[in-house]
Amino acid sequence: MLLLTYWIMTLCCCIYAAAKGGATGRVGAAIVLFKTVAIALVTYVERDWQMTSYSLLQVDAACLVAFLWLSLRSDEYWPLWSTACQFLAVAIHVTTLVQPELTPKVYQGLHSLWAIPMQLFMVRGIALDRRFLRWRKGMITT
């Protein structure tokens, strides 16, 4: 049930970002969808959380680079927040390299932890940007 809720939330966030977030929102939604599907496929194949998952690390590192690129190309702030969440997801993998005795449940939980705030930052940031643009448009016309 929790997984179904996560997938529904991801789809809703990405649809909103693609519809209301402009070009930045569409790219951000594509990154989030890619990350979600790729991680689902990798975790379906590799169910072992006993050691560092290099496949997940590659997916997360690629998404970090994509969000960093988006942050540098965008005038909006939410890509920076999503980049920070993605950086923390990569940092979890690096932690397992440095400290391999990390408990598998902790590794799995911490890796999954940053996906939800990343999506909520995207939605909230797009909503705030839209509100600001409406306010600025009202200030210019009066």
Side-chain angles (χ1 to χ4, degrees):
M1 189 65 173
L2 186 62
L3 187 60
L4 179 63
T5 304
Y6 173 76
W7 276 96
I8 291 170
M9 185 195 84
T10 299
L11 288 175
C12 290
C13 289
C14 289
I15 289 169
Y16 176 78
K20 303 293 184 180
T24 303
R26 287 188 293 277
V27 173
I31 295 168
V32 168
L33 281 176
F34 168 77
K35 175 187 166 95
T36 303
V37 170
I39 286 177
L41 291 174
V42 168
T43 54
Y44 181 75
V45 173
E46 298 177 13
R47 296 178 184 260
D48 185 24
W49 290 90
Q50 298 297 323
M51 57 186 205
T52 304
S53 173
Y54 291 102
S55 300
L56 286 177
L57 176 58
Q58 290 172 342
V59 169
D60 281 333
C63 291
L64 175 61
V65 170
F67 269 120
L68 186 58
W69 174 83
L70 184 62
S71 297
L72 294 173
R73 306 265 310 166
S74 176
D75 292 336
E76 300 169 3
Y77 288 112
W78 71 262
L80 289 172
W81 305 339
S82 294
T83 302
C85 289
Q86 190 60 41
F87 175 78
L88 292 170
V90 171
I92 299 304
H93 295 294
V94 174
T95 301
T96 63
L97 292 171
V98 175
Q99 191 173 5
E101 63 272 1
L102 190 68
T103 308
K105 288 288 185 192
V106 172
Y107 178 32
Q108 185 178 15
L110 288 175
H111 175 264
S112 304
L113 176 70
W114 300 107
I116 294 171
M118 179 190 320
Q119 293 176 29
L120 296 177
F121 287 150
M122 180 174 66
V123 169
R124 180 66 176 152
I126 290 169
L128 289 173
D129 287 336
R130 289 176 54 80
R131 184 186 321 166
F132 174 73
L133 289 175
R134 282 194 307 268
W135 174 79
R136 188 172 74 179
K137 184 178 177 182
M139 295 297 290
I140 292 172
T141 58
T142 56

